[in-house]
Amino acid sequence: MKSLPARLAFLAALVSWLFSVSCSREKPAGESRKKKTVETLADLGALPLQATDPADNVSSPEKIALGRLLFFDPVLSGNKDVACATCHHPDFGYAEFLETSIGVNGVGTGSKRRFKEPNDIPRGRRNSQSVLNTAFNGLNLTSSYHAASAPMFWDLRASGLEEQALAPIKTLDEMRGHGFAESEILGVVIQRLNGIQAYKPLFAAAFPGEDNVINETNLARAIAAFERTLVNGNTRFDQYMRGDSAALTASEKDGLNLFLSSGCAKCHNGPMFSDFKLHALGVPDADHLKESDKGAGEDFTFRTPTLRNLRYTAPYMHSGKFANLKQVLEFYEDIGGGKIRNPHMKPEQMDVLVRDLDVNFRDISRIVEFINVLSDDSFDRTVPTSVPSGLRPGGNL
């Protein structure tokens, strides 16, 4: 047995060691401890009830009516078989019920759409985003909103609905096809429109006082004017944010709180529930791709999508890989726990915000319940009975 002095010396040494271990866990002097930021209701917001027009494209009933016809007219595509509405149809919340788009040489609607045979057109790489509320793209709570610079597409390659409207016409697999070069297709489309007598008075009424009124600029302006009418900012969540506390049930409010505490609002914030920034999350590729889709800048980054109207626009993510919202949230649970679902990505490529995600399986159903509150079925579903070209409205559906 140790003597009393020896035991006292041992205890002193033990206390000294424990103290040194404790101190070693403290942050160095001057280094502030980082506290996890949790978003609040103030980081979200209600949508405006109507969109803002850019200064050079003020809306009018005539312009909107023309834009609707053009949106549904397949005369804008190389083979006259695809319209804007083919992949953005009212029946599917102005999106489509497919993982990724089938444009040129396709037939059918929704999950039944397929390529006709023979086929030499590649399938689209990405899921078709809804046109609903795209007039509000870029809207946030911290800076001024400019319709002309609104961020578009999964990779932000276009700004404003006017620029976005012409891009699919020039894209091989979406609307152009093999018959025309990218540099010539818009000229061909304008020549076709000038040759259709019924379009002439419609363009003249939409753009009064202009010479050579049927041109690329006015084609884009008309389509964009129509798309700015496709808004629905009066969901029950919007009503709640405007002061109606009874607009959400207790369970939906619980889901809202879980949505905030889990870190979802770090990217899905503001009135559109999107920061409109690029993030690398390791979303799995669509099954049909031969090469991985590396997104904007070849670094696997894609724009944060809005969470509005998701009830009508499945499947989800840029690859359309997830069939329902439960699968989406399970994906976020995985990446929050360090799992990378895209085998082509390296850990260092993942967005740093992933570290702040804390989605738990037990909370998923309540978060989904809240997200569904962001949907509103009171949007315009009008499909023209005919279009001036005489082709089938919406293309080969």
Side-chain angles (χ1 to χ4, degrees):
M1 180 178 292
K2 294 182 180 178
S3 65
L4 180 60
R7 281 184 285 170
L8 290 175
F10 172 76
L11 289 173
L14 178 61
V15 169
S16 177
W17 178 78
L18 289 173
F19 180 76
S20 68
V21 170
S22 175
C23 289
S24 71
R25 291 176 179 171
E26 296 292 328
K27 289 184 178 289
E31 184 179 340
S32 60
R33 296 186 180 185
K34 291 184 179 180
K35 185 178 181 180
K36 180 180 177 181
T37 302
V38 178
E39 284 65 35
T40 69
L41 197 60
D43 293 293
L44 307 178
L47 272 182
L49 293 175
Q50 118 178 23
T52 301
D53 300 326
D56 63 350
N57 191 23
V58 177
S59 185
S60 69
E62 293 81 6
K63 198 180 291 185
I64 293 168
L66 171 61
R68 185 191 303 275
L69 293 174
L70 292 167
F71 187 86
F72 283 89
D73 199 334
V75 76
L76 303 189
S77 62
N79 296 341
K80 301 182 183 180
D81 62 342
V82 181
C84 304
T86 306
C87 299
H88 301 282
H89 200 278
D91 288 351
F92 307 104
Y94 285 91
E96 60 181 344
F97 196 61
L98 280 177
E99 281 189 12
T100 62
S101 296
I102 295 177
V104 177
N105 200 42
V107 63
T109 60
S111 60
K112 296 181 180 179
R113 187 164 175 80
R114 65 190 189 283
F115 283 115
K116 295 190 294 184
E117 296 296 341
N119 176 63
D120 59 358
I121 299 293
R123 185 164 179 164
R125 288 190 302 164
R126 296 172 188 163
N127 179 261
S128 178
Q129 294 189 351
S130 174
V131 179
L132 286 174
N133 293 323
T134 49
F136 297 123
N137 277 15
L139 181 65
N140 60 49
L141 300 174
T142 59
S143 60
S144 299
Y145 167 70
H146 301 284
S149 59
M152 298 289 163
F153 294 113
W154 284 105
D155 54 9
L156 305 180
R157 68 183 183 274
S159 297
L161 284 170
E162 285 77 10
E163 184 178 350
Q164 181 277 330
L166 299 183
I169 299 173
K170 296 185 289 183
T171 303
L172 168 68
D173 54 275
E174 294 186 49
M175 296 180 72
R176 174 167 58 90
H178 287 299
F180 303 95
E182 181 178 348
S183 60
E184 67 177 332
I185 184 61
L186 285 175
V188 170
V189 168
I190 296 303
Q191 185 177 23
R192 289 176 184 173
L193 293 175
N194 272 295
I196 299 173
Q197 190 61 37
Y199 266 124
K200 293 181 177 181
L202 296 175
F203 270 90
F207 303 97
E210 294 188 23
D211 296 326
N212 302 316
V213 68
I214 303 180
N215 55 53
E216 293 178 19
T217 299
N218 287 342
L219 168 62
R221 286 173 173 169
I223 294 174
F226 165 63
E227 290 178 336
R228 287 194 177 94
T229 68
L230 300 177
V231 299
N232 56 347
N234 197 33
T235 67
R236 287 193 292 117
F237 172 77
D238 294 302
Q239 296 167 26
Y240 178 75
M241 291 298 289
R242 295 186 186 113
D244 182 2
S245 61
L248 301 185
T249 67
S251 181
E252 289 163 349
K253 291 175 184 176
D254 188 26
L256 167 58
N257 290 330
L258 290 168
F259 174 86
L260 293 167
S261 64
S262 65
C264 298
K266 293 189 181 302
C267 298
H268 294 285
N269 50 50
M272 280 288 282
F273 284 77
S274 172
D275 61 5
F276 294 99
K277 295 178 181 178
L278 298 170
H279 298 282
L281 302 177
V283 177
D285 287 314
D287 291 336
H288 67 87
L289 292 185
K290 295 180 180 178
E291 296 182 0
S292 183
D293 185 354
K294 295 184 179 180
E298 296 291 297
D299 57 359
F300 296 98
T301 56
F302 297 89
R303 193 201 84 198
T304 304
T306 179
L307 299 185
R308 287 183 173 271
N309 297 307
L310 295 187
R311 180 179 293 175
Y312 315 114
T313 59
Y316 306 111
M317 312 304 271
H318 73 271
S319 58
K321 193 62 180 166
F322 303 131
N324 54 60
L325 292 176
K326 179 175 178 288
Q327 291 180 4
V328 173
L329 286 162
E330 288 172 345
F331 164 77
Y332 282 118
E333 182 186 34
D334 283 348
I335 62 173
K339 183 178 181 179
I340 300 177
R341 297 276 294 272
N342 188 323
H344 302 284
M345 283 191 65
K346 299 176 182 178
E348 59 268 24
Q349 292 177 299
M350 294 288 284
D351 197 290
V352 294
L353 288 177
V354 166
R355 303 170 191 164
D356 295 325
L357 287 176
D358 186 21
V359 179
N360 293 309
F361 184 80
R362 66 178 180 273
D363 300 329
I364 286 177
S365 62
R366 284 175 291 177
I367 296 176
V368 170
E369 188 175 2
F370 163 67
I371 293 175
N372 281 330
V373 174
L374 301 175
S375 296
D376 174 16
D377 64 0
S378 63
F379 54 87
D380 183 1
R381 290 179 169 82
T382 306
V383 177
T385 55
S386 63
V387 290
S389 67
L391 298 168
R392 180 177 179 177
N396 289 345
L397 300 176

